[in-house]
Amino acid sequence: MTSLYRRTGLRALLALCTALVPFIAASADPPQPDTRAWLQREVVDVGYPGARVLLWHGDAVVRDETLGFADIAHARPLSDDAIYRIYSMTKPVVSAAVLRLIGEGHGTLDDPVGKHLPELAGLKVMGVTGIGRAPARALTIRHLLTHTTGFPVGDGKAARRRHEARLEYSLDLAAYVQRLGKVPLEREPGTRFAYDSIATEVLGRLVEVWSGQPLPLYLHTTFFVPLGMVDTGFEVPAGQRDRIVELSRIDDEGRLVLSDEPTARYPGTRPRPYFSAAGGLYSTASDYLRFARMLLARGRLDGHEFVPAALVDEMFRDQLAPMGLAVPYIDETPGRGFGLGLSVLLDPAAQGREGAAGQVGWTGAASTAFVIDPATGSIGVLMLQHLPGSHPRELPRVARAFYNHLQQVIAP
């Protein structure tokens, strides 16, 4: 009898342990972050009408969430195929185009810009007396790709000359560069990072000169069509403009209202008379993920090479510290450098970021963002449409929280 009781008790104990295994395993594994809940909490609940998130890891989309509305009145639910103004997320696309053409032998990173654009061969650095002098070093293509050109930003005599040139009223990129040739440099090229549109507008003109094609045509045939970026371009066809998300801002009363930008009042049109290489593209989350996947794969996708791998590596490598800049980072605090057309995370802790150093990406003026993490083979694309301002009731920025959410999703 004693042996029978022992055997019966042992069976009961084994059955109990077997039953508890799923509960023990569940308690050992932390719950996976919920992207939809993150969107609700960090984006919609704080006042943004809606947003789209795509997270890629390994070889698949691991999160695909669309939440909220495409308009301020909350009358039009946001769709997966919504079209967004990506503004400065145009810059990495044009930078990649320049690097492709460099790979084809049209020039080198350290060529003087004036060698290829004679209008910029005679640039002068404005002195304190207003009399210009030749720069100690030539403005190079690398300087354009890293926003270390020396062109004026902000106030001062050189900046006034820039405003007088009315660059943004140019009818095309050729006229833009022609006008820019009369604007003095504010400082020596290669001495300070100063983020601005000028550098990438010049890169856009370089694409036209090297390829012999208008910038929109070159990007369309060489990148957008073979990448399958079917909804990306400088203008949106009239029949597709109902897919464009409204562009919001906070007014003087602290209310969420429609922006007064031209592309908000006339969705689908160009923000400038010319095709702006610095900020003119419209795109979708799915399209931009295709572009980011190509970069993550070192310039290749679906059997096609778009940019030579060695030049993509340079895109992802910080260029500022090797250039010897006194301040080799792009923010007011340390932690982020700059590659060729992309920011490079150098010190995650200093930036309040999770994950490893080496993450790259950029943002757009209307609160769009993307990040590529080569260490984990992951990508995040965030699309919404809001122009932030300085009102006390301005909506909180969400890019950093988004970057960290990606890390939390893919964390082992």
Side-chain angles (χ1 to χ4, degrees):
M1 291 293 291
T2 303
S3 176
L4 176 60
Y5 287 138
R6 284 177 180 167
R7 287 198 299 273
T8 304
L10 182 58
R11 290 193 195 101
L13 180 60
L14 288 172
L16 177 63
C17 290
T18 301
L20 287 174
V21 164
F23 298 98
I24 294 170
S27 62
D29 295 330
Q32 283 290 306
D34 186 330
T35 298
R36 194 168 188 83
W38 180 87
L39 270 175
Q40 185 70 54
R41 181 181 66 253
E42 300 287 341
V43 180
V44 174
D45 286 350
V46 301
Y48 293 98
R52 175 93 193 273
V53 164
L54 282 173
L55 304 183
W56 175 276
H57 179 52
D59 197 31
V61 172
V62 294
R63 293 288 192 279
D64 182 351
E65 295 289 351
T66 302
L67 187 65
F69 295 87
D71 60 343
I72 298 165
H74 290 195
R76 183 159 53 102
L78 186 62
S79 63
D80 291 349
D81 68 346
I83 297 173
Y84 303 81
R85 305 156 191 83
I86 63 170
Y87 287 121
S88 286
M89 280 168 54
T90 305
K91 291 181 174 73
V93 177
V94 173
S95 298
V98 168
L99 293 174
R100 177 189 175 95
L101 289 162
I102 286 176
E104 292 175 355
H106 293 275
T108 72
L109 287 171
D110 295 308
D111 277 355
V113 175
K115 175 181 177 181
H116 305 281
L117 299 175
E119 305 93 325
L120 303 182
L123 292 172
K124 304 290 186 183
V125 180
M126 178 170 278
V128 292
T129 63
I131 300 174
R133 58 173 177 80
R137 67 183 90 178
L139 172 67
T140 68
I141 296 168
R142 190 187 301 271
H143 295 146
L144 295 174
L145 287 160
T146 56
H147 297 278
T148 56
T149 60
F151 280 111
V153 177
D155 300 319
K157 293 179 180 179
R160 285 197 294 274
R161 293 276 293 277
R162 169 184 173 164
H163 296 315
E164 291 166 1
R166 295 170 64 84
L167 301 175
E168 289 75 19
Y169 293 89
S170 303
L171 295 181
D172 54 32
L173 289 171
Y176 185 102
V177 170
Q178 189 71 41
R179 294 184 183 195
L180 182 61
K182 300 178 175 61
V183 175
L185 298 173
E186 191 173 53
R187 69 191 71 84
E188 289 285 340
T191 58
R192 189 185 120 191
F193 176 89
Y195 180 67
D196 190 61
S197 62
I198 285 179
T200 316
E201 303 293 22
V202 175
L203 289 174
R205 178 56 183 160
L206 202 55
V207 168
E208 294 185 331
V209 169
W210 281 348
S211 70
Q213 298 177 333
L215 179 64
L217 179 60
Y218 181 79
L219 293 180
H220 180 76
T221 58
T222 310
F223 283 86
F224 302 156
V225 169
L227 279 171
M229 298 173 68
V230 296
D231 291 310
T232 301
F234 289 95
E235 295 172 301
V236 178
Q240 300 295 322
R241 290 181 181 179
D242 59 338
R243 295 166 53 195
I244 302 173
V245 180
E246 281 190 350
L247 182 62
S248 65
R249 67 178 179 90
I250 297 294
D251 69 5
D252 293 340
E253 304 297 322
R255 300 169 302 184
L256 189 74
V257 298
L258 185 69
S259 170
D260 50 10
E261 288 286 308
T263 62
R265 290 181 278 114
Y266 307 103
T269 61
R270 284 177 261 162
R272 304 288 186 200
Y274 55 90
F275 294 102
S276 174
L281 285 178
Y282 292 84
S283 192
T284 64
S286 298
D287 275 14
Y288 210 86
L289 178 63
R290 295 281 297 174
F291 173 72
R293 284 179 55 198
M294 178 272 291
L295 293 182
L296 176 62
R298 299 182 69 215
R300 298 186 66 88
L301 195 66
D302 297 339
H304 298 284
E305 182 182 79
F306 293 89
V307 184
L311 289 172
V312 177
D313 292 345
E314 289 299 310
M315 290 185 80
F316 285 28
R317 183 177 295 118
D318 176 54
Q319 304 285 321
L320 303 186
M323 290 168 66
L325 270 62
V327 181
Y329 44 85
I330 68 175
D331 303 297
E332 294 180 357
T333 55
R336 280 202 305 170
F338 206 80
L340 302 178
L342 298 168
S343 67
V344 182
L345 184 62
L346 303 174
D347 185 344
Q351 286 285 310
R353 298 269 297 272
E354 299 179 20
Q359 298 172 51
V360 300
W362 202 235
T363 58
S367 305
T368 59
F370 85 105
V371 61
I372 301 171
D373 184 358
T376 60
S378 58
I379 299 166
V381 178
L382 172 67
M383 293 291 193
L384 38 109
Q385 289 286 266
H386 178 77
L387 286 173
S390 57
H391 193 277
R393 293 172 61 184
E394 181 55 69
L395 303 181
R397 306 290 179 95
V398 297
R400 183 177 299 171
F402 169 66
Y403 303 147
N404 288 341
H405 178 71
L406 170 64
Q407 294 298 320
Q408 293 157 12
V409 167
I410 65 174

